[in-house]
Amino acid sequence: MVKSINFVVLGKQDIAAEFGKKGTVTDLSLYDRKESDIIKTWVTPSGFPDKIQPLLQSINLAEFVIFLVDKLDKFTGEQIIALDTLKKTRGILSHTFDVDESKLNSMIKGTVVEKYLKVEQDKLKEEMDKIQPTSNTDPPRMVVDHCFDVKGVGTVILGKVTCGTIKQYDTLKLYPAGIDVMIKSIQMHDDPVEESVCPARVGLAVKGAKPDEVGRGDVIAKEGTVSVKSEIELDFTKSPFYKTDIAENQGCLVSVGLQIKAAKFSSITPLKLKFEKPIVYNAGDIAVILKPESTTIRILGSGPIK
């Protein structure tokens, strides 16, 4: 059985090229390498810091964090806040020689990043190689990050199996559309496989959905195992770094998994969000509220979905 590990590389993103071979590149860049029976993938938010969205999406794609800090600025602060908001507790922290370690320590104090394993830059790969794959046996689910049409094959969906096992010839649902999709074939690291176990990165050739019906953040899952709604309530915590007040009917963007969707505050106490288009979620998923146009911090606050 082929196992998988997914890392997000933050800070000095270009070190990902030292770990794996470059694959898909959009506002997210993917690198991978196969070692014996383990496929390792590194994702970088190549569209960040110009856009905040790829930062949240890349962190959500990973189980483990590699954070090589090369400067202490507001964008480093934003990455620390994003990791803390998404409760990414497993990571390795390093910094370049010109970064003031005491200043970095004060920036990460009280966040999940404070607990990361701290190593010299030349020991990153050695420590990364000690990390073992994790998995679960929940009902099958996959989150989509890219989709396109391949001549002679049809619709191909790339993404990460986040729960359980997806098998060739499974019929599952594509959410939020609710379309039935049949898995015609599965590829991992360009090799055909009959099944893929979470947290595998896969390419699925599917029947039942056209590429224009599939978007980043969509979820392929067993019917009835996810919720699809246009209004959600959060157990909300506002970021202490976001100083502006929020009000009913004010617009924002919301990140849930790989979904980034426009919403309005339909209520402040309790905090409820009404979306233009429905979102897919499970209770407890963390929703992060974004203000991309903000000139200071772009993460307004967050909370688990009730």
Side-chain angles (χ1 to χ4, degrees):
M1 176 67 70
V2 179
K3 295 181 177 179
S4 304
I5 306 181
N6 301 283
F7 300 92
V8 59
V9 179
L10 298 179
K12 191 168 164 52
Q13 296 181 27
D14 57 8
I15 58 161
E18 298 170 22
F19 305 143
K21 182 182 168 209
K22 187 182 272 192
T24 308
V25 176
T26 53
D27 54 350
L28 303 175
S29 295
L30 293 151
Y31 302 78
D32 66 4
R33 186 174 81 237
K34 188 173 183 181
E35 294 173 349
S36 58
D37 269 348
I38 299 176
I39 295 171
K40 295 182 178 179
T41 303
W42 295 265
V43 58
T44 67
S46 38
F48 176 85
D50 291 347
K51 295 191 294 179
I52 184 74
Q53 295 93 317
L55 175 63
L56 279 298
Q57 291 173 322
S58 62
I59 293 171
N60 271 311
L61 273 172
E63 301 94 67
F64 299 97
V65 180
I66 308 295
F67 195 179
L68 176 58
V69 179
D70 59 344
K71 55 174 94 69
L72 298 179
D73 59 9
K74 70 175 183 179
F75 299 122
T76 299
E78 215 162 41
Q79 290 170 87
I80 294 165
I81 292 165
L83 290 166
D84 194 54
T85 298
L86 292 171
K87 298 180 171 50
K88 286 292 177 178
T89 55
R90 297 178 292 184
I92 303 172
L93 177 68
S94 188
H95 64 82
T96 54
F97 72 93
D98 52 341
V99 165
D100 183 322
E101 191 165 346
S102 62
K103 283 185 181 171
L104 174 60
N105 286 341
S106 70
M107 284 178 79
I108 63 175
K109 190 171 174 56
T111 72
V112 293
V113 182
E114 187 179 21
K115 302 279 200 303
Y116 287 4
L117 177 68
K118 297 175 180 69
V119 301
E120 298 294 324
Q121 185 178 341
D122 60 359
K123 294 282 191 289
L124 275 173
K125 187 176 182 311
E126 184 183 319
E127 291 301 331
M128 201 163 46
D129 287 344
K130 294 177 185 175
I131 295 172
Q132 294 300 307
T134 59
S135 193
N136 66 54
T137 54
D138 295 340
R141 187 181 314 160
M142 171 183 155
V143 62
V144 176
D145 53 57
H146 295 86
C147 181
F148 41 84
D149 187 64
V150 174
K151 194 170 182 181
V153 178
T155 302
V156 171
I157 296 173
L158 305 184
K160 175 184 170 181
V161 180
T162 53
C163 296
T165 302
I166 288 182
K167 299 177 180 178
Q168 188 177 15
Y169 308 124
D170 276 354
T171 296
L172 300 168
K173 288 272 189 186
L174 173 71
Y175 292 102
I179 299 170
D180 286 320
V181 292
M182 193 271 279
I183 313 303
K184 295 194 296 184
S185 62
I186 307 172
Q187 281 199 339
M188 292 175 62
H189 198 69
D190 296 328
D191 294 325
V193 295
E194 290 183 358
E195 63 178 37
S196 52
V197 178
C198 81
R201 274 207 62 77
V202 295
L204 303 181
V206 304
K207 182 181 178 183
K210 298 184 177 70
D212 61 4
E213 295 175 312
V214 185
R216 181 181 290 175
D218 285 3
V219 171
I220 293 173
K222 188 175 177 183
E223 186 170 6
T225 57
V226 296
S227 297
V228 178
K229 287 188 182 172
S230 295
E231 188 173 48
I232 58 172
E233 183 179 334
L234 302 189
D235 185 5
F236 179 69
T237 305
K238 189 178 172 191
S239 168
F241 305 101
Y242 189 84
K243 305 300 184 189
T244 312
D245 288 334
I246 57 174
E248 273 189 30
N249 291 319
Q250 190 180 345
C252 60
L253 284 182
V254 182
S255 163
V256 179
L258 297 197
Q259 301 166 94
I260 306 274
K261 299 211 172 177
K264 286 185 175 179
F265 297 107
S266 53
S267 163
I268 302 300
T269 312
L271 193 119
K272 292 184 180 179
L273 295 162
K274 191 165 183 63
F275 291 85
E276 291 176 7
K277 294 178 179 175
I279 67 154
V280 188
Y281 71 95
N282 286 92
D285 284 355
I286 297 171
V288 185
I289 302 177
L290 306 174
K291 279 286 190 178
E293 70 279 9
S294 172
T295 53
T296 54
I297 187 76
R298 293 176 284 184
I299 297 172
L300 187 156
S302 66
I305 304 173
K306 290 188 171 182

PDB file of all heavy atoms in Angstrom, residues 140 165-175 178-184 206-208 220-223:
ATOM      1  N   PRO A 140     -15.094   7.816   2.748  1.00  0.00           N
ATOM      2  CA  PRO A 140     -14.216   8.435   1.753  1.00  0.00           C
ATOM      3  C   PRO A 140     -14.582   9.889   1.435  1.00  0.00           C
ATOM      4  O   PRO A 140     -15.751  10.224   1.295  1.00  0.00           O
ATOM      5  CB  PRO A 140     -14.401   7.553   0.514  1.00  0.00           C
ATOM      6  CG  PRO A 140     -15.706   6.853   0.711  1.00  0.00           C
ATOM      7  CD  PRO A 140     -15.839   6.682   2.187  1.00  0.00           C
ATOM      8  N   THR A 165     -10.723   5.826   2.108  1.00  0.00           N
ATOM      9  CA  THR A 165     -10.128   5.242   0.898  1.00  0.00           C
ATOM     10  C   THR A 165     -11.062   5.466  -0.281  1.00  0.00           C
ATOM     11  O   THR A 165     -12.274   5.220  -0.178  1.00  0.00           O
ATOM     12  CB  THR A 165      -9.917   3.724   1.090  1.00  0.00           C
ATOM     13  OG1 THR A 165      -9.081   3.508   2.230  1.00  0.00           O
ATOM     14  CG2 THR A 165      -9.254   3.094  -0.136  1.00  0.00           C
ATOM     15  N   ILE A 166     -10.513   5.947  -1.392  1.00  0.00           N
ATOM     16  CA  ILE A 166     -11.282   6.068  -2.639  1.00  0.00           C
ATOM     17  C   ILE A 166     -10.801   4.982  -3.595  1.00  0.00           C
ATOM     18  O   ILE A 166      -9.592   4.800  -3.792  1.00  0.00           O
ATOM     19  CB  ILE A 166     -11.128   7.473  -3.253  1.00  0.00           C
ATOM     20  CG1 ILE A 166     -11.895   8.486  -2.394  1.00  0.00           C
ATOM     21  CG2 ILE A 166     -11.640   7.513  -4.698  1.00  0.00           C
ATOM     22  CD1 ILE A 166     -11.872   9.909  -2.900  1.00  0.00           C
ATOM     23  N   LYS A 167     -11.770   4.250  -4.154  1.00  0.00           N
ATOM     24  CA  LYS A 167     -11.437   3.104  -5.006  1.00  0.00           C
ATOM     25  C   LYS A 167     -11.934   3.318  -6.432  1.00  0.00           C
ATOM     26  O   LYS A 167     -12.931   3.993  -6.654  1.00  0.00           O
ATOM     27  CB  LYS A 167     -12.068   1.826  -4.435  1.00  0.00           C
ATOM     28  CG  LYS A 167     -11.580   1.483  -3.037  1.00  0.00           C
ATOM     29  CD  LYS A 167     -12.287   0.257  -2.499  1.00  0.00           C
ATOM     30  CE  LYS A 167     -11.794  -0.067  -1.096  1.00  0.00           C
ATOM     31  NZ  LYS A 167     -12.487  -1.228  -0.516  1.00  0.00           N
ATOM     32  N   GLN A 168     -11.214   2.714  -7.363  1.00  0.00           N
ATOM     33  CA  GLN A 168     -11.652   2.710  -8.760  1.00  0.00           C
ATOM     34  C   GLN A 168     -13.061   2.098  -8.844  1.00  0.00           C
ATOM     35  O   GLN A 168     -13.355   1.111  -8.160  1.00  0.00           O
ATOM     36  CB  GLN A 168     -10.670   1.890  -9.599  1.00  0.00           C
ATOM     37  CG  GLN A 168     -10.925   1.978 -11.097  1.00  0.00           C
ATOM     38  CD  GLN A 168      -9.868   1.204 -11.893  1.00  0.00           C
ATOM     39  OE1 GLN A 168      -9.126   0.404 -11.340  1.00  0.00           O
ATOM     40  NE2 GLN A 168      -9.802   1.458 -13.182  1.00  0.00           N
ATOM     41  N   TYR A 169     -13.912   2.726  -9.645  1.00  0.00           N
ATOM     42  CA  TYR A 169     -15.308   2.339  -9.887  1.00  0.00           C
ATOM     43  C   TYR A 169     -16.260   2.729  -8.749  1.00  0.00           C
ATOM     44  O   TYR A 169     -17.457   2.436  -8.819  1.00  0.00           O
ATOM     45  CB  TYR A 169     -15.468   0.843 -10.224  1.00  0.00           C
ATOM     46  CG  TYR A 169     -14.555   0.395 -11.332  1.00  0.00           C
ATOM     47  CD1 TYR A 169     -13.661  -0.658 -11.148  1.00  0.00           C
ATOM     48  CD2 TYR A 169     -14.543   1.061 -12.567  1.00  0.00           C
ATOM     49  CE1 TYR A 169     -12.801  -1.058 -12.168  1.00  0.00           C
ATOM     50  CE2 TYR A 169     -13.679   0.673 -13.591  1.00  0.00           C
ATOM     51  CZ  TYR A 169     -12.807  -0.378 -13.387  1.00  0.00           C
ATOM     52  OH  TYR A 169     -11.953  -0.756 -14.382  1.00  0.00           O
ATOM     53  N   ASP A 170     -15.757   3.406  -7.701  1.00  0.00           N
ATOM     54  CA  ASP A 170     -16.663   3.973  -6.692  1.00  0.00           C
ATOM     55  C   ASP A 170     -17.578   4.998  -7.354  1.00  0.00           C
ATOM     56  O   ASP A 170     -17.147   5.732  -8.252  1.00  0.00           O
ATOM     57  CB  ASP A 170     -15.876   4.727  -5.602  1.00  0.00           C
ATOM     58  CG  ASP A 170     -15.356   3.814  -4.502  1.00  0.00           C
ATOM     59  OD1 ASP A 170     -15.688   2.622  -4.512  1.00  0.00           O
ATOM     60  OD2 ASP A 170     -14.609   4.325  -3.625  1.00  0.00           O
ATOM     61  N   THR A 171     -18.839   5.045  -6.905  1.00  0.00           N
ATOM     62  CA  THR A 171     -19.727   6.153  -7.278  1.00  0.00           C
ATOM     63  C   THR A 171     -19.914   7.016  -6.038  1.00  0.00           C
ATOM     64  O   THR A 171     -20.391   6.531  -5.003  1.00  0.00           O
ATOM     65  CB  THR A 171     -21.078   5.646  -7.797  1.00  0.00           C
ATOM     66  OG1 THR A 171     -20.862   4.908  -9.007  1.00  0.00           O
ATOM     67  CG2 THR A 171     -22.005   6.814  -8.118  1.00  0.00           C
ATOM     68  N   LEU A 172     -19.508   8.282  -6.157  1.00  0.00           N
ATOM     69  CA  LEU A 172     -19.560   9.219  -5.041  1.00  0.00           C
ATOM     70  C   LEU A 172     -20.292  10.478  -5.486  1.00  0.00           C
ATOM     71  O   LEU A 172     -20.692  10.585  -6.647  1.00  0.00           O
ATOM     72  CB  LEU A 172     -18.143   9.546  -4.565  1.00  0.00           C
ATOM     73  CG  LEU A 172     -17.316   8.343  -4.064  1.00  0.00           C
ATOM     74  CD1 LEU A 172     -15.849   8.722  -3.911  1.00  0.00           C
ATOM     75  CD2 LEU A 172     -17.859   7.828  -2.736  1.00  0.00           C
ATOM     76  N   LYS A 173     -20.468  11.418  -4.571  1.00  0.00           N
ATOM     77  CA  LYS A 173     -21.136  12.684  -4.890  1.00  0.00           C
ATOM     78  C   LYS A 173     -20.124  13.815  -4.951  1.00  0.00           C
ATOM     79  O   LYS A 173     -19.215  13.888  -4.113  1.00  0.00           O
ATOM     80  CB  LYS A 173     -22.178  13.023  -3.816  1.00  0.00           C
ATOM     81  CG  LYS A 173     -23.424  12.156  -3.850  1.00  0.00           C
ATOM     82  CD  LYS A 173     -24.477  12.720  -4.786  1.00  0.00           C
ATOM     83  CE  LYS A 173     -25.799  11.967  -4.653  1.00  0.00           C
ATOM     84  NZ  LYS A 173     -26.774  12.411  -5.664  1.00  0.00           N
ATOM     85  N   LEU A 174     -20.303  14.706  -5.928  1.00  0.00           N
ATOM     86  CA  LEU A 174     -19.522  15.940  -5.994  1.00  0.00           C
ATOM     87  C   LEU A 174     -20.357  17.035  -5.347  1.00  0.00           C
ATOM     88  O   LEU A 174     -21.466  17.335  -5.785  1.00  0.00           O
ATOM     89  CB  LEU A 174     -19.222  16.303  -7.459  1.00  0.00           C
ATOM     90  CG  LEU A 174     -18.556  17.662  -7.682  1.00  0.00           C
ATOM     91  CD1 LEU A 174     -17.114  17.653  -7.195  1.00  0.00           C
ATOM     92  CD2 LEU A 174     -18.599  18.057  -9.158  1.00  0.00           C
ATOM     93  N   TYR A 175     -19.832  17.618  -4.277  1.00  0.00           N
ATOM     94  CA  TYR A 175     -20.539  18.677  -3.550  1.00  0.00           C
ATOM     95  C   TYR A 175     -19.823  20.007  -3.737  1.00  0.00           C
ATOM     96  O   TYR A 175     -18.608  20.034  -3.896  1.00  0.00           O
ATOM     97  CB  TYR A 175     -20.577  18.339  -2.046  1.00  0.00           C
ATOM     98  CG  TYR A 175     -21.428  17.145  -1.701  1.00  0.00           C
ATOM     99  CD1 TYR A 175     -20.842  15.908  -1.432  1.00  0.00           C
ATOM    100  CD2 TYR A 175     -22.815  17.250  -1.635  1.00  0.00           C
ATOM    101  CE1 TYR A 175     -21.622  14.807  -1.093  1.00  0.00           C
ATOM    102  CE2 TYR A 175     -23.596  16.149  -1.293  1.00  0.00           C
ATOM    103  CZ  TYR A 175     -23.001  14.935  -1.032  1.00  0.00           C
ATOM    104  OH  TYR A 175     -23.779  13.847  -0.701  1.00  0.00           O
ATOM    105  N   GLY A 178     -23.911  18.316  -5.830  1.00  0.00           N
ATOM    106  CA  GLY A 178     -24.722  17.114  -5.601  1.00  0.00           C
ATOM    107  C   GLY A 178     -24.763  16.175  -6.800  1.00  0.00           C
ATOM    108  O   GLY A 178     -25.668  15.365  -6.947  1.00  0.00           O
ATOM    109  N   ILE A 179     -23.740  16.282  -7.681  1.00  0.00           N
ATOM    110  CA  ILE A 179     -23.689  15.460  -8.897  1.00  0.00           C
ATOM    111  C   ILE A 179     -23.072  14.093  -8.570  1.00  0.00           C
ATOM    112  O   ILE A 179     -22.098  14.002  -7.829  1.00  0.00           O
ATOM    113  CB  ILE A 179     -22.819  16.164  -9.972  1.00  0.00           C
ATOM    114  CG1 ILE A 179     -23.412  17.520 -10.359  1.00  0.00           C
ATOM    115  CG2 ILE A 179     -22.637  15.291 -11.198  1.00  0.00           C
ATOM    116  CD1 ILE A 179     -22.471  18.363 -11.221  1.00  0.00           C
ATOM    117  N   ASP A 180     -23.640  13.027  -9.152  1.00  0.00           N
ATOM    118  CA  ASP A 180     -23.024  11.692  -9.032  1.00  0.00           C
ATOM    119  C   ASP A 180     -21.803  11.609  -9.938  1.00  0.00           C
ATOM    120  O   ASP A 180     -21.888  11.952 -11.126  1.00  0.00           O
ATOM    121  CB  ASP A 180     -24.023  10.601  -9.451  1.00  0.00           C
ATOM    122  CG  ASP A 180     -25.099  10.371  -8.405  1.00  0.00           C
ATOM    123  OD1 ASP A 180     -24.764  10.389  -7.207  1.00  0.00           O
ATOM    124  OD2 ASP A 180     -26.268  10.178  -8.790  1.00  0.00           O
ATOM    125  N   VAL A 181     -20.676  11.142  -9.377  1.00  0.00           N
ATOM    126  CA  VAL A 181     -19.479  10.921 -10.206  1.00  0.00           C
ATOM    127  C   VAL A 181     -18.973   9.501  -9.983  1.00  0.00           C
ATOM    128  O   VAL A 181     -18.946   9.003  -8.860  1.00  0.00           O
ATOM    129  CB  VAL A 181     -18.345  11.937  -9.902  1.00  0.00           C
ATOM    130  CG1 VAL A 181     -18.727  13.324 -10.347  1.00  0.00           C
ATOM    131  CG2 VAL A 181     -17.942  11.943  -8.443  1.00  0.00           C
ATOM    132  N   MET A 182     -18.592   8.866 -11.089  1.00  0.00           N
ATOM    133  CA  MET A 182     -18.013   7.528 -11.008  1.00  0.00           C
ATOM    134  C   MET A 182     -16.511   7.648 -11.262  1.00  0.00           C
ATOM    135  O   MET A 182     -16.081   8.321 -12.207  1.00  0.00           O
ATOM    136  CB  MET A 182     -18.672   6.605 -12.034  1.00  0.00           C
ATOM    137  CG  MET A 182     -18.363   5.127 -11.805  1.00  0.00           C
ATOM    138  SD  MET A 182     -16.880   4.579 -12.655  1.00  0.00           S
ATOM    139  CE  MET A 182     -17.520   4.303 -14.301  1.00  0.00           C
ATOM    140  N   ILE A 183     -15.729   7.007 -10.404  1.00  0.00           N
ATOM    141  CA  ILE A 183     -14.270   7.075 -10.514  1.00  0.00           C
ATOM    142  C   ILE A 183     -13.815   6.059 -11.565  1.00  0.00           C
ATOM    143  O   ILE A 183     -13.819   4.845 -11.315  1.00  0.00           O
ATOM    144  CB  ILE A 183     -13.590   6.779  -9.154  1.00  0.00           C
ATOM    145  CG1 ILE A 183     -14.241   7.569  -8.011  1.00  0.00           C
ATOM    146  CG2 ILE A 183     -12.083   7.030  -9.248  1.00  0.00           C
ATOM    147  CD1 ILE A 183     -14.258   9.065  -8.173  1.00  0.00           C
ATOM    148  N   LYS A 184     -13.427   6.549 -12.743  1.00  0.00           N
ATOM    149  CA  LYS A 184     -13.003   5.637 -13.822  1.00  0.00           C
ATOM    150  C   LYS A 184     -11.601   5.089 -13.569  1.00  0.00           C
ATOM    151  O   LYS A 184     -11.327   3.915 -13.798  1.00  0.00           O
ATOM    152  CB  LYS A 184     -13.030   6.371 -15.178  1.00  0.00           C
ATOM    153  CG  LYS A 184     -14.423   6.784 -15.618  1.00  0.00           C
ATOM    154  CD  LYS A 184     -14.434   7.192 -17.089  1.00  0.00           C
ATOM    155  CE  LYS A 184     -13.580   8.419 -17.357  1.00  0.00           C
ATOM    156  NZ  LYS A 184     -13.655   8.880 -18.759  1.00  0.00           N
ATOM    157  N   VAL A 206     -12.935  10.981 -13.995  1.00  0.00           N
ATOM    158  CA  VAL A 206     -14.299  10.737 -13.515  1.00  0.00           C
ATOM    159  C   VAL A 206     -15.310  10.820 -14.652  1.00  0.00           C
ATOM    160  O   VAL A 206     -15.096  11.497 -15.656  1.00  0.00           O
ATOM    161  CB  VAL A 206     -14.703  11.734 -12.400  1.00  0.00           C
ATOM    162  CG1 VAL A 206     -13.715  11.684 -11.246  1.00  0.00           C
ATOM    163  CG2 VAL A 206     -14.855  13.153 -12.925  1.00  0.00           C
ATOM    164  N   LYS A 207     -16.416  10.143 -14.438  1.00  0.00           N
ATOM    165  CA  LYS A 207     -17.554  10.196 -15.349  1.00  0.00           C
ATOM    166  C   LYS A 207     -18.712  10.834 -14.591  1.00  0.00           C
ATOM    167  O   LYS A 207     -18.947  10.501 -13.433  1.00  0.00           O
ATOM    168  CB  LYS A 207     -17.926   8.770 -15.775  1.00  0.00           C
ATOM    169  CG  LYS A 207     -19.074   8.692 -16.767  1.00  0.00           C
ATOM    170  CD  LYS A 207     -19.374   7.240 -17.113  1.00  0.00           C
ATOM    171  CE  LYS A 207     -20.550   7.145 -18.076  1.00  0.00           C
ATOM    172  NZ  LYS A 207     -20.898   5.731 -18.349  1.00  0.00           N
ATOM    173  N   GLY A 208     -19.404  11.775 -15.232  1.00  0.00           N
ATOM    174  CA  GLY A 208     -20.581  12.372 -14.612  1.00  0.00           C
ATOM    175  C   GLY A 208     -20.468  13.865 -14.378  1.00  0.00           C
ATOM    176  O   GLY A 208     -21.468  14.527 -14.143  1.00  0.00           O
ATOM    177  N   ILE A 220     -15.543  15.650  -3.043  1.00  0.00           N
ATOM    178  CA  ILE A 220     -16.092  14.384  -3.521  1.00  0.00           C
ATOM    179  C   ILE A 220     -16.204  13.477  -2.303  1.00  0.00           C
ATOM    180  O   ILE A 220     -15.206  13.248  -1.605  1.00  0.00           O
ATOM    181  CB  ILE A 220     -15.182  13.759  -4.597  1.00  0.00           C
ATOM    182  CG1 ILE A 220     -15.190  14.631  -5.864  1.00  0.00           C
ATOM    183  CG2 ILE A 220     -15.623  12.340  -4.936  1.00  0.00           C
ATOM    184  CD1 ILE A 220     -14.194  14.204  -6.920  1.00  0.00           C
ATOM    185  N   ALA A 221     -17.406  13.011  -2.017  1.00  0.00           N
ATOM    186  CA  ALA A 221     -17.612  12.264  -0.769  1.00  0.00           C
ATOM    187  C   ALA A 221     -18.757  11.277  -0.918  1.00  0.00           C
ATOM    188  O   ALA A 221     -19.557  11.342  -1.856  1.00  0.00           O
ATOM    189  CB  ALA A 221     -17.918  13.235   0.374  1.00  0.00           C
ATOM    190  N   LYS A 222     -18.824  10.383   0.054  1.00  0.00           N
ATOM    191  CA  LYS A 222     -19.946   9.464   0.144  1.00  0.00           C
ATOM    192  C   LYS A 222     -21.193  10.272   0.468  1.00  0.00           C
ATOM    193  O   LYS A 222     -21.154  11.196   1.286  1.00  0.00           O
ATOM    194  CB  LYS A 222     -19.665   8.444   1.256  1.00  0.00           C
ATOM    195  CG  LYS A 222     -20.670   7.318   1.334  1.00  0.00           C
ATOM    196  CD  LYS A 222     -20.238   6.312   2.383  1.00  0.00           C
ATOM    197  CE  LYS A 222     -21.285   5.216   2.504  1.00  0.00           C
ATOM    198  NZ  LYS A 222     -20.922   4.263   3.571  1.00  0.00           N
ATOM    199  N   GLU A 223     -22.301   9.930  -0.167  1.00  0.00           N
ATOM    200  CA  GLU A 223     -23.547  10.688   0.019  1.00  0.00           C
ATOM    201  C   GLU A 223     -23.938  10.750   1.493  1.00  0.00           C
ATOM    202  O   GLU A 223     -23.838   9.761   2.228  1.00  0.00           O
ATOM    203  CB  GLU A 223     -24.676  10.038  -0.790  1.00  0.00           C
ATOM    204  CG  GLU A 223     -25.956  10.854  -0.770  1.00  0.00           C
ATOM    205  CD  GLU A 223     -26.990  10.333  -1.769  1.00  0.00           C
ATOM    206  OE1 GLU A 223     -26.764   9.285  -2.395  1.00  0.00           O
ATOM    207  OE2 GLU A 223     -28.026  11.015  -1.909  1.00  0.00           O
TER     208      GLU A 223
END
